[in-house]
Amino acid sequence: MFSLRYQLGRQANGVIRAGRAGPLRSLFSFGRKENEDLGEHLKIVPLADSPHEKLRSIGDKLTTVYGDRASTCEKCGFIIPSCPSDSSCTDRVNFNLDNQYLLSDGKKPILAAPQYMRQGERACIVDWESYLVSRSFPAASNPRTKRILSRVFTFPLSIAKALEDLYLKDEKKYDYIMRERTDPIVVSVVGARAEGLLPLIVWRELAYCFPDNRFEVVVSGPDVRKDLHGTSVQEERDKLVRVHYFHGNFEDMREEIETSLSPDLYAVFNSGIGHNDEIYTGWKHAMACMLGSGKPTLLTCFDEQDLKDDQAGIERLCIEEMSDKSLEYVVGPSKNIFGSCFGDVSVDKLGVRMIFSNSHRMICESSSK
């Protein structure tokens, strides 16, 4: 898979210094002009012939999978047996061109850092375009801007939308989300992978979606950097968001984490718990801890099929590990309006599949029978 980790991996040493501009420069730029390159000149290049190693490697994998059964599609540059003129080909075209843009040299105004908001202002979380405009991103109406920025901001925006939807679902029960409170809202992101590499400037958007609140974001999982375990970072300017890091399995660290950071919402991004028995086994103890807590849990998936599989995995978990609990879908399985619009490529023995981080979602909560 062509992962977000490629874009963010070089910033790993900058996470704990995220309050400063310097370490973020290869992810976001500062003070760039909107009339710089937006990639309109880019043309489709066959993946196998790409000047970029990351794209060539995908071409090589496709050649290995398909062999003589495939040829290069002139429209998208992918090596596949057939390429119908439908949305899947369009997604592959965007993948080819957007990655050329990201991997090329030169200034990229799309990656201009989001600005601070004035006190009392709130980011609009109706849809991606409204959000980008409300946050004054350069070239906010450009489709490439939405695709590329959604790849990063899908994580805090999916959480923000979940919090808003919980409140709209039951204002009395979830009143704590919208009212001004002296203590911060605590969001626990479990099993973090790419989202564990996000700089603080990205998580800061939570506070701009809910300007009357402060946030504590707990990022935990085996893929969180070991040297960050037990550390936290808070931006010096406004102190609206603090991010805490824990390396290891959530079920083993839960008591350590939640003694001082009891969550208002759990978030699990693209777990794949229903994909196969191996992934289910790896997740079942952590997932049972979260779902059994009685706190709402946001679960996201790559696509509609992934959603159906994960829903089956969760219901299997309830039977096998939580027989004393009743599961409720507070927000039912559905499309996530703040899912990533930037497709990633998954290549396996069955071929190529375009996937979109956090494309679909559900919010679950349990209660005693």
Side-chain angles (χ1 to χ4, degrees):
M1 184 186 302
F2 192 83
S3 172
L4 176 63
R5 188 177 297 276
Y6 174 76
Q7 279 294 321
L8 299 181
R10 292 174 294 173
Q11 292 305 312
N13 292 330
V15 173
I16 58 175
R17 301 192 299 276
R20 304 177 185 176
L24 304 182
R25 286 195 180 274
S26 68
L27 175 61
F28 293 113
S29 59
F30 293 78
R32 289 181 173 173
K33 298 179 180 179
E34 188 167 346
N35 61 358
E36 295 174 16
D37 178 26
L38 292 175
E40 292 92 341
H41 64 285
L42 294 171
K43 305 294 183 183
I44 289 295
V45 176
L47 296 185
D49 300 329
S50 173
H52 306 295
E53 181 182 353
K54 292 291 181 178
L55 295 179
R56 285 200 308 274
S57 68
I58 295 174
D60 292 342
K61 290 177 182 177
L62 291 173
T63 300
T64 300
V65 169
Y66 291 120
D68 296 336
R69 295 182 294 126
S71 59
T72 300
C73 173
E74 294 181 357
K75 297 175 184 176
C76 65
F78 275 63
I79 304 166
I80 51 180
S82 62
C83 187
S85 298
D86 59 9
S87 60
S88 61
C89 185
T90 300
D91 290 339
R92 290 190 285 268
V93 168
N94 290 334
F95 175 88
N96 190 324
L97 296 177
D98 289 346
N99 278 292
Q100 286 187 53
Y101 178 80
L102 286 173
L103 295 167
S104 63
D105 296 328
K107 297 180 178 180
K108 299 177 177 66
I110 285 176
L111 299 182
Q115 303 299 308
Y116 290 104
M117 295 191 79
R118 296 185 182 92
Q119 186 174 1
E121 290 183 338
R122 182 185 180 189
C124 180
I125 51 175
V126 173
D127 54 33
W128 275 119
E129 186 170 355
S130 299
Y131 163 73
L132 294 172
V133 170
S134 73
R135 293 295 289 112
S136 301
F137 278 97
S141 60
N142 186 289
R144 178 162 291 127
T145 300
K146 181 174 77 170
R147 291 195 298 271
I148 290 177
L149 292 182
S150 70
R151 190 185 195 191
V152 177
F153 289 97
T154 178
F155 299 103
L157 268 293
S158 293
I159 290 171
K161 192 61 177 174
L163 290 171
E164 182 180 73
D165 287 347
L166 285 170
Y167 176 77
L168 294 175
K169 178 78 173 181
D170 190 332
E171 293 183 17
K172 184 176 181 180
K173 182 176 182 180
Y174 301 108
D175 175 62
Y176 66 87
I177 296 171
M178 287 301 201
R179 75 168 185 264
E180 187 173 356
R181 43 191 271 183
T182 56
D183 61 320
I185 295 174
V186 179
V187 178
S188 183
V189 180
V190 178
R193 288 166 291 183
E195 60 274 24
L197 295 169
L198 292 175
L200 182 60
I201 198 173
V202 175
W203 290 116
R204 187 182 68 188
E205 295 303 297
L206 283 169
Y208 292 152
C209 295
F210 299 96
D212 293 331
N213 299 102
R214 293 177 294 116
F215 283 83
E216 303 275 356
V217 180
V218 181
V219 179
S220 66
D223 291 332
V224 173
R225 282 173 44 199
K226 290 182 180 180
D227 61 309
L228 291 180
H229 179 76
T231 67
S232 64
V233 56
Q234 185 176 42
E235 196 165 37
E236 297 176 1
R237 181 183 185 272
D238 49 24
K239 303 186 186 305
L240 295 175
V241 177
R242 182 187 294 273
V243 182
H244 305 260
Y245 300 94
F246 294 89
H247 169 82
N249 294 321
F250 171 75
E251 60 269 30
D252 299 330
M253 304 183 293
R254 183 186 180 191
E255 184 175 354
E256 174 190 358
I257 295 171
E258 297 187 1
T259 297
S260 58
L261 294 164
S262 179
D264 297 299
L265 174 74
Y266 289 107
V268 182
F269 295 112
N270 310 303
S271 71
I273 189 171
H275 185 64
N276 58 43
D277 286 342
E278 181 181 359
I279 297 176
Y280 172 84
T281 300
W283 268 107
K284 67 178 182 180
H285 296 302
M287 199 70 77
C289 287
M290 289 181 280
L291 293 177
S293 70
K295 301 291 182 66
T297 301
L298 167 67
L299 303 168
T300 71
C301 310
F302 287 129
D303 56 28
E304 188 173 2
Q305 183 59 53
D306 197 30
L307 179 70
K308 292 177 181 177
D309 292 343
D310 283 4
Q311 185 178 3
I314 292 299
E315 292 174 358
R316 172 186 173 186
L317 179 80
C318 290
I319 294 172
E320 297 180 357
E321 305 291 333
M322 299 168 52
S323 58
D324 61 331
K325 302 286 185 180
S326 295
L327 183 70
E328 176 189 0
Y329 292 101
V330 185
V331 175
S334 56
K335 184 75 173 175
N336 177 18
I337 197 168
F338 282 109
S340 174
C341 304
F342 188 106
D344 281 316
V345 174
S346 176
V347 182
D348 57 28
K349 62 182 179 181
L350 298 177
V352 61
R353 172 187 171 207
M354 295 299 299
I355 58 176
F356 295 83
S357 183
N358 308 326
S359 170
H360 288 68
R361 66 166 190 171
M362 50 189 164
I363 304 177
C364 304
E365 191 173 299
S366 70
S367 59
S368 298
K369 288 183 176 179

